[in-house]
Amino acid sequence: MSIIADSNKEQKQAIVHDQGPQLIVAGAGTGKTRVVTARIAYLITERNVNVDEVLALTFTEKAAEEMEERVDQMLPYGYVDLWISTFHAFCDKVLKRHALDIGLPNSYKLVDQTEAWLLVRKNLEKFNLDYYQPLGNPTKFIHALLGHFSRCKDEGIYPEEYLEYAEDLKLNSDKAEFIKKFDLEKLSEDEQEELIKGEMLRVEEVANAFRVYQQILIDNDCLDFADLINYTLKLFKKRPLILESYRKQFKYILVDEFQDTNFVQYELIKQLAKPKNNITVVGDDDQSIYKFRGASISNIMQFKEDFPDAKEVVLTENYRSAQGILDIAYDFIKQNNPYRLEEKLGINKKLKSNLKDKAIIEHIHELTVEDEAKAVVKKIVELKQEHKVDWSDFAILVRANDSANIFIHYLEQAEIPYQFLAMKGLYNKSIVVDLYNYMKLLDNYHESPATFRVLNFAFLNIPSEQIVRLVHYAKRKSVSLFEAVKTSATVPGIQKATVLDLNKLVAQVEKDTEMAQNKRPTEVLLNFLYGSGLLDHLKKQEEKVAREQLGFLQQFFKKIQEFEMSYDDPRISDLMELLVMEMEAGDTGKLAFDAEVGPDMVKLMTIHSSKGLEFDYVFIGNLVDRKFPTDQRRDPIEIPESLISEATPEGDFHLEEERRLFYVAITRAKKGIFFTSADDYGGSRKKKPSRFLHELGLVDPLMKNHKSKTQVEGVKIQHTVPKDVGYELPKRFSYSQMSTYETCPLKYKYGNVLKIPTFGNHYFTFGSTIHNTLQKFLEECFSKKNNMQPDLFTSSDVSKAKLLPLERLMSVYDLNWLDEWYKDKLQKEEYYKKGKELLKNFYNRFEKEMPDVNMLEQPFTLKLDGYAFVGRIDRIDKVGDGKVEIIDYKTGQAKDKLSADDKRQLMFYQIAVEEVLGLKLEKLTYYYLEQDVQASFLGKDKDKDKLKAKFLENIENIKQHKFDPTPSVHVCKNCEFRDICEFRKI
């Protein structure tokens, strides 16, 4: 029989299994997908089972498509309905047929994580939260709640059970159990009672929130993905005739990646398989990387308990990797003993290679992360030349997406084609950022950052120098950038050819704006794509580039179409509101992902994304402590143990799961595996090698026999000199500029070189109001005491002030009040009241302490190696013994402990006071005005020298036009240029 002709002994046993349950333990690269698909084809062609009588379930659309394609190739004839799908797709199909049988609308909408977040965000007031009331941005808080609800549903826990548990906890709580669980023995009885009561209220609040969330879904005719499984299970339990019809239909059931099934998925399978239990499950506990709480073998062990007579087949013949790679992978994963199936079931899982290739196994260790990335690039070039392989035979695997950036940088410099494969990030793709900003401009002409992005569209060919002139003109005239574009003929230095191009752009914008008033966003977008020349530009690009960009465009267009389906009369403004909220929710847009399709390129991806793939040569990067394995992160809201139905994991489940993830990475390699690490990843301390390198035997714990290389030679790096676009670098620098450059060089370029106009924000407005008020009030106090003009105090030794009444401070506050950039009238009123309270606290402290103020708003210019640094110090007080204290006002949140980064600004002032003013410092103080809290310290000589060196290094990089982006969620969230930057992370 051709279907099993090329199968080994164990594979044949699994494929031709007759009746009853079967457990297939399939190691990496042992052909499990082939076994599953061959069994489906065998049942249909050899056992005469109808096509629609076999149900095969897996976890990803890609895996389901691959299985269906393979079965299709094996079947000699066509078929009507092949039931190969994901769990969610199967349940969706069932519920669409039978939703009304359990009171659900069959027209329900399926919501993903972001859409569920939006629903909760819009209905937050209905949750009546106290314990979990978000104090600031609710993004993470809502995600934590949703994650908790999803995990509950995975365990078959619904609001009714949670509420019953909460009620039972109040009525029948075992105080002794609480004391033991929360380690309360050392507390007094009253303290114990208070904490126990608080825990009960917390559980009750979560249970009620769960109930509200589920009701919101129902009220909006929505289901989330976990609901699909649970409502299908509910359907089968409440409507036995419907369950019986599916049991009769599906004579055979197959489940791939069984180790990753959750409790309710397994319950669903068992319900369908009864009473004949013709169920085949395929899994490998060593590759379980998605399981709740790391319970990698709980369902498999439960399967053995539920079906003690199940046939057991172990696949160990590997068709992917050289034996050396399999050996180190096996020796490594044994570190998870005794919590593996091999130990639990007494089976042998050691893989044997079917290949004759000799494995290449290396550990590459360098001094810095930059050297590490360059060494990887160098090794890839060497291997390609030596073995005559394609670029796509190489993969660089990382633990987290952020770790890929340094490898991307050096691949680009070496001109090596690469593809960074991520599940998310559509909204960060250049063409999508372009279109987003164009629609943003249509919605509001005053969006200068959006206008700047539009002016830089490649197909418009507007010279950079001309754009800079427009930007500077708009800023000088205090008009929006679009207004400057509309009047470009009158802007000095704008060429006639540019004016013509700009007039065409203005005409396009005005046409699309008018169209946006009564047309759907997709129509407006299409009008722009065809009318502007963008599509023509894309079609003229290199085929690879054009295909990639048009793919992103198509995905974004599909996203807009989905949005329009949710609105009766969708408009651009509605779309912009939705996209802003999605980004606020942390959604970067789903990306189509297929590592096996596309041009010949080196592949970069996370290890999670690499599961199921294989490459000749694999590099696993950043193998240092705390990067891999990562630190354990507990769930923000944990499920009570007594509500969990499945067996909880044994041992250190986080470390065990990290090991399994590492095992998956190793077993992606066919011929060569390279483990890479470095000493320096940018922190203050040298990084320790990953414990996994020790467990592999590649380094000894003390690194006694391992020397770090100081540099890597032989990689072709293509340095390009930036084109001069007619701007000059700053003649003076400031601490703010240095801080901005270190945060993100590209942000520095936008703000300090190109000087792109930006919106203000109410935080800056409020801070300016408070600073101005304090300066003016104290100057007035001193002038009353000494009959001196306020402007003399910046350079005079001022004696103690005669404090004016509090009422005068409030009057000065009113005179200096700025009302720009507040969101609305209510927010402005709230900040105004907060300012009054803040100033009252300041006044009371000042009156009590009466500090000896020496200088106010003291400006300075500091020279470092010939470069000028300017700044201004809020206040300098005399504190005795000829020493002074620097005071810097802060209107933000006080910090319990100052980090090294927090101290840098005041250390910069310390350098200036010591070297420019010649004063001796007693201490440096941040004065957090809102909380009336002060935090003091004094910079050490070595730290000041380090700060100077860093500033000089920054300037050298700025001189060389090094403006590469360094995005992160924290940085980009607070960046005023995030909407025009394709590198942003949100």
Side-chain angles (χ1 to χ4, degrees):
M1 292 176 286
S2 60
I3 291 176
I4 61 174
D6 297 327
S7 303
N8 62 41
K9 178 183 175 182
E10 290 75 21
Q11 288 177 336
K12 289 178 181 177
Q13 290 176 3
I15 293 169
V16 303
H17 171 66
D18 190 10
Q19 300 286 318
Q22 175 179 220
L23 169 64
I24 304 173
V25 180
T30 57
K32 69 177 180 62
T33 302
R34 184 185 181 282
V35 169
V36 173
T37 53
R39 175 159 175 76
I40 296 171
Y42 173 81
L43 290 170
I44 295 170
T45 59
E46 303 299 327
R47 295 291 179 85
N48 297 317
V49 177
N50 291 335
V51 173
D52 64 349
E53 292 177 336
V54 179
L55 173 65
L57 297 172
T58 187
F59 282 86
T60 67
E61 293 289 350
K62 182 178 181 298
E65 290 171 4
E66 181 183 353
M67 288 172 62
E68 187 169 347
E69 183 179 337
R70 289 197 185 191
V71 172
D72 179 69
Q73 292 173 350
M74 292 180 181
L75 294 179
Y77 46 81
Y79 50 85
V80 177
D81 197 3
L82 197 60
W83 286 72
I84 299 176
S85 72
T86 64
F87 276 91
H88 294 114
F90 167 72
C91 291
D92 188 39
K93 192 172 184 179
V94 171
L95 284 179
K96 282 292 196 298
R97 292 180 177 180
H98 306 288
L100 296 176
D101 291 291
I102 51 171
L104 290 175
N106 55 10
S107 59
Y108 63 80
K109 178 187 176 185
L110 188 60
V111 296
D112 59 18
Q113 175 82 359
T114 299
E115 290 166 326
W117 185 96
L118 293 172
L119 273 177
V120 174
R121 184 72 176 85
K122 291 175 181 178
N123 294 276
L124 201 54
E125 73 285 348
K126 295 181 181 179
F127 285 80
N128 296 320
L129 298 171
D130 180 26
Y131 187 97
Y132 286 107
Q133 176 65 38
L135 299 179
N137 189 319
T139 300
K140 290 184 178 179
F141 152 79
I142 295 175
H143 280 307
L145 270 184
L146 290 173
H148 182 68
F149 301 155
S150 178
R151 287 188 292 275
C152 285
K153 293 178 182 182
D154 288 346
E155 290 294 309
I157 306 165
Y158 259 68
E160 298 78 18
E161 292 92 340
Y162 217 132
L163 286 166
E164 287 178 12
Y165 168 79
E167 186 64 24
D168 184 64
L169 199 63
K170 286 197 297 184
L171 298 176
N172 305 301
S173 62
D174 185 340
K175 183 177 178 180
E177 183 181 340
F178 264 102
I179 292 172
K180 181 179 179 181
K181 178 179 179 181
F182 295 102
D183 193 23
L184 307 180
E185 289 87 350
K186 297 181 180 179
L187 300 181
S188 68
E189 189 170 329
D190 288 343
E191 289 174 325
Q192 290 176 354
E193 290 288 348
E194 184 177 349
L195 287 173
I196 292 171
K197 181 180 178 182
E199 174 63 11
M200 291 178 181
L201 291 174
R202 183 194 71 82
V203 172
E204 185 178 28
E205 182 171 300
V206 173
N208 280 313
F210 195 5
R211 175 186 57 79
V212 172
Y213 169 67
Q214 206 58 32
Q215 189 61 49
I216 288 172
L217 288 175
I218 293 171
D219 291 344
N220 289 273
D221 292 340
C222 292
L223 301 182
D224 60 25
F225 281 91
D227 284 332
L228 291 175
I229 312 292
N230 282 278
Y231 278 124
T232 303
L233 196 54
K234 183 178 180 180
L235 171 72
F236 289 162
K237 288 180 177 180
K238 287 199 169 187
R239 302 292 181 259
L241 290 179
I242 295 176
L243 172 61
E244 188 61 29
S245 68
Y246 282 104
R247 283 176 174 172
K248 288 181 178 179
Q249 177 182 342
F250 300 125
K251 293 181 170 56
Y252 292 89
I253 299 174
L254 299 93
V255 183
D256 194 14
E257 305 288 4
F258 183 65
Q259 76 279 351
D260 289 328
T261 53
N262 58 43
F263 176 79
V264 292
Q265 288 169 334
Y266 181 38
E267 284 296 306
L268 181 71
I269 296 164
K270 287 193 291 185
Q271 288 292 326
L272 281 170
K274 293 177 181 177
K276 293 185 178 180
N277 295 322
N278 289 329
I279 176 174
T280 294
V281 299
V282 186
D284 179 14
D285 60 308
D286 292 332
Q287 296 186 77
S288 176
I289 57 176
Y290 296 110
K291 197 74 172 66
F292 167 67
R293 297 186 62 185
S296 61
I297 63 174
S298 59
N299 275 0
I300 297 179
M301 295 306 298
Q302 188 63 46
F303 185 86
K304 289 288 293 182
E305 185 175 326
D306 294 337
F307 306 104
D309 298 327
K311 180 181 178 181
E312 206 174 277
V313 178
V314 183
L315 304 181
T316 56
E317 187 170 355
N318 177 282
Y319 296 87
R320 175 189 299 159
S321 306
Q323 188 63 50
I325 294 172
L326 299 178
D327 289 343
I328 65 163
Y330 179 70
D331 291 341
F332 171 77
I333 200 61
K334 283 196 299 183
Q335 304 287 331
N336 273 356
N337 287 343
Y339 310 115
R340 296 172 57 242
L341 281 180
E342 191 170 41
E343 291 272 317
K344 297 287 186 180
L345 300 182
I347 59 177
N348 179 12
K349 291 186 62 187
K350 183 175 175 61
L351 301 179
K352 298 179 181 179
S353 178
N354 186 263
L355 309 175
K356 303 300 181 183
D357 296 306
K358 186 177 180 181
I360 303 174
I361 302 170
E362 291 184 15
H363 174 212
I364 300 172
H365 185 80
E366 302 297 338
L367 180 63
T368 68
V369 66
E370 290 82 9
D371 287 337
E372 177 189 352
K374 286 191 283 186
V376 169
V377 172
K378 178 182 178 183
K379 179 62 69 172
I380 288 174
V381 171
E382 289 175 351
L383 290 168
K384 188 178 191 305
Q385 293 172 346
E386 181 180 352
H387 298 284
K388 309 300 180 185
V389 292
D390 295 329
W391 292 120
S392 56
D393 291 320
F394 298 93
I396 302 173
L397 306 183
V398 291
R399 179 63 180 84
N401 279 319
D402 289 351
S403 300
N405 294 335
I406 189 69
F407 296 103
I408 289 172
H409 176 74
Y410 286 104
L411 285 169
E412 287 178 344
Q413 288 207 353
E415 296 186 333
I416 293 175
Y418 73 91
Q419 186 178 18
F420 180 41
L421 297 158
M423 295 290 192
K424 291 181 178 289
L426 177 64
Y427 298 159
N428 296 332
K429 298 304 179 184
S430 180
I431 189 169
V432 175
V433 177
D434 284 347
L435 297 175
Y436 170 78
N437 276 277
Y438 183 74
M439 291 187 292
K440 199 172 182 181
L441 175 60
L442 299 183
D443 193 40
N444 183 0
Y445 284 171
H446 297 293
E447 284 279 3
S448 290
T451 307
F452 177 80
R453 179 78 192 198
V454 170
L455 289 174
N456 279 278
F457 285 176
F459 72 94
L460 293 177
N461 289 317
I462 299 175
S464 299
E465 179 270 334
Q466 297 281 279
I467 296 174
V468 171
R469 290 183 183 275
L470 288 167
V471 169
H472 290 173
Y473 176 83
K475 187 171 184 180
R476 189 167 64 250
K477 294 295 184 180
S478 298
V479 298
S480 72
L481 183 54
F482 188 72
E483 289 178 274
V485 171
K486 289 179 70 175
T487 59
S488 60
T490 64
V491 176
I494 300 299
Q495 301 165 359
K496 289 183 179 180
T498 301
V499 172
L500 291 174
D501 290 337
L502 292 174
N503 287 343
K504 291 179 183 177
L505 174 62
V506 169
Q508 180 74 46
V509 170
E510 291 179 340
K511 180 181 179 182
D512 289 339
T513 302
E514 182 179 357
M515 188 178 185
Q517 303 305 311
N518 49 34
K519 297 292 184 181
R520 301 169 74 87
T522 47
E523 293 183 63
V524 179
L525 183 57
L526 284 170
N527 189 64
F528 169 70
L529 291 174
Y530 285 94
S532 64
L534 175 57
L535 282 179
D536 285 337
H537 172 76
L538 288 175
K539 288 190 295 184
K540 294 175 183 176
Q541 301 301 301
E542 181 185 344
E543 182 182 350
K544 174 181 69 67
V545 175
R547 185 169 61 247
E548 182 180 62
Q549 294 302 308
L550 287 169
F552 295 144
L553 173 58
Q554 186 181 47
Q555 292 177 58
F556 187 55
F557 192 76
K558 182 179 179 181
K559 167 69 182 179
I560 299 174
Q561 288 178 315
E562 292 172 354
F563 148 78
E564 291 177 346
M565 293 173 63
S566 303
Y567 284 74
D568 294 329
D569 190 23
R571 293 290 178 263
I572 288 283
S573 57
D574 300 318
L575 175 61
M576 291 295 100
E577 180 183 10
L578 175 68
L579 290 174
V580 168
M581 289 189 71
E582 284 194 1
M583 293 175 189
E584 183 186 347
D587 191 354
T588 57
K590 293 180 181 177
L591 271 174
F593 180 96
D594 193 344
E596 297 173 319
V597 176
D600 181 24
M601 307 173 103
V602 174
K603 311 293 185 182
L604 284 90
M605 68 189 80
T606 64
I607 299 170
H608 280 95
S609 301
S610 73
K611 190 174 179 183
L613 303 176
E614 55 186 44
F615 305 91
D616 280 1
Y617 304 99
V618 170
F619 295 79
I620 309 175
N622 297 174
L623 291 178
V624 292
D625 183 45
R626 306 189 76 175
K627 282 184 175 288
F628 201 3
T630 60
D631 293 335
Q632 181 177 347
R633 296 181 181 178
R634 300 182 68 87
D635 290 329
I637 307 174
E638 294 190 335
I639 301 177
E641 290 284 347
S642 58
L643 286 176
I644 298 174
S645 301
E646 66 180 316
T648 55
E650 303 173 277
D652 186 341
F653 63 83
H654 171 74
L655 180 59
E656 290 166 20
E657 178 146 318
E658 289 289 291
R659 281 203 189 99
R660 291 193 294 271
L661 189 61
F662 194 63
Y663 176 82
V664 166
I666 296 173
T667 54
R668 299 310 94 198
K670 298 179 181 179
K671 301 176 181 178
I673 183 74
F674 302 87
F675 307 97
T676 74
S677 58
D679 293 332
D680 183 1
Y681 284 82
S684 58
R685 294 182 180 180
K686 179 180 177 180
K687 282 286 188 181
K688 295 179 182 179
S690 166
R691 66 177 291 164
F692 291 166
L693 292 174
H694 303 318
E695 293 175 1
L696 284 167
L698 295 176
V699 297
D700 64 72
L702 299 178
M703 292 287 286
K704 289 179 181 178
N705 302 316
H706 207 100
K707 294 183 179 180
S708 299
K709 301 175 185 177
T710 57
Q711 62 182 22
V712 179
E713 303 291 348
V715 181
K716 179 187 176 186
I717 305 297
Q718 300 293 325
H719 292 290
T720 58
V721 179
K723 182 180 179 182
D724 184 7
V725 294
Y727 57 72
E728 294 183 0
L729 294 175
K731 292 182 173 63
R732 294 185 174 187
F733 297 89
S734 67
Y735 174 81
S736 176
Q737 291 178 27
M738 295 294 97
S739 178
T740 300
Y741 185 82
E742 291 172 27
T743 300
C744 178
L746 185 58
K747 179 180 179 181
Y748 175 89
K749 179 180 178 180
Y750 283 158
N752 296 93
V753 179
L754 297 179
K755 297 181 174 59
I756 300 170
T758 60
F759 286 102
N761 63 71
H762 64 275
Y763 301 112
F764 181 81
T765 297
F766 182 68
S768 297
T769 296
I770 298 300
H771 275 76
N772 293 339
T773 298
L774 292 177
Q775 177 193 356
K776 299 300 182 186
F777 175 71
L778 290 178
E779 285 178 347
E780 191 173 324
C781 293
F782 290 135
S783 66
K784 293 291 184 183
K785 169 75 175 177
N786 298 285
N787 297 315
M788 298 172 67
Q789 295 298 317
D791 61 347
L792 297 177
F793 286 88
T794 57
S795 58
S796 299
D797 187 357
V798 181
S799 60
K800 291 185 179 180
K802 178 181 179 181
L803 198 62
L804 297 176
L806 177 61
E807 290 76 10
R808 180 55 191 164
L809 175 59
M810 296 305 170
S811 298
V812 175
Y813 177 56
D814 288 335
L815 290 171
N816 285 275
W817 175 256
L818 302 172
D819 61 358
E820 302 169 345
W821 305 114
Y822 290 99
K823 183 174 63 175
D824 51 35
K825 183 179 179 181
L826 178 62
Q827 186 186 58
K828 184 164 59 175
E829 290 174 351
E830 289 175 349
Y831 269 85
Y832 178 80
K833 291 178 181 177
K834 183 167 77 170
K836 290 252 182 181
E837 190 65 28
L838 177 156
L839 291 172
K840 182 179 178 181
N841 291 338
F842 171 86
Y843 186 93
N844 290 336
R845 177 189 279 261
F846 197 94
E847 184 179 45
K848 180 180 178 181
E849 298 176 353
M850 286 303 294
D852 188 359
V853 179
N854 189 40
M855 301 177 188
L856 292 171
E857 292 295 320
Q858 177 63 51
F860 65 84
T861 300
L862 173 68
K863 290 292 187 71
L864 295 179
D865 271 16
Y867 297 109
F869 284 81
V870 296
R872 185 178 294 272
I873 302 171
D874 291 341
R875 201 174 98 203
I876 301 177
D877 292 353
K878 288 183 178 180
V879 291
D881 294 328
K883 294 184 178 181
V884 297
E885 176 185 9
I886 291 176
I887 307 288
D888 189 71
Y889 301 131
K890 295 294 182 185
T891 53
Q893 188 69 31
K895 297 188 177 183
D896 295 330
K897 184 178 180 181
L898 296 175
S899 67
D901 285 341
D902 294 329
K903 296 178 179 179
R904 284 161 51 95
Q905 182 178 1
L906 280 187
M907 270 202 296
F908 175 61
Y909 291 167
Q910 178 181 350
I911 295 169
V913 167
E914 292 174 341
E915 296 187 14
V916 178
L917 300 180
L919 299 175
K920 293 183 178 180
L921 267 295
E922 173 72 22
K923 57 183 174 180
L924 312 171
T925 299
Y926 284 118
Y927 187 178
Y928 296 97
L929 296 164
E930 183 175 354
Q931 296 82 23
D932 194 26
V933 171
Q934 295 186 354
S936 301
F937 68 99
L938 187 65
K940 299 178 181 178
D941 289 342
K942 64 176 183 179
D943 294 325
K944 291 184 290 182
D945 291 340
K946 185 177 179 181
L947 186 64
K948 291 180 185 178
K950 183 61 178 175
F951 282 4
L952 293 175
E953 178 186 342
N954 292 341
I955 292 174
E956 289 303 313
N957 288 333
I958 291 170
K959 286 171 62 178
Q960 295 176 40
H961 296 226
K962 291 184 177 180
F963 299 124
D964 293 328
T966 55
S968 72
V969 173
H970 174 70
V971 169
C972 299
K973 179 179 69 174
N974 300 308
C975 179
E976 55 267 43
F977 305 110
R978 60 185 177 274
D979 290 333
I980 63 170
C981 180
E982 66 267 34
F983 303 101
R984 71 190 188 280
K985 292 184 178 179
I986 49 179

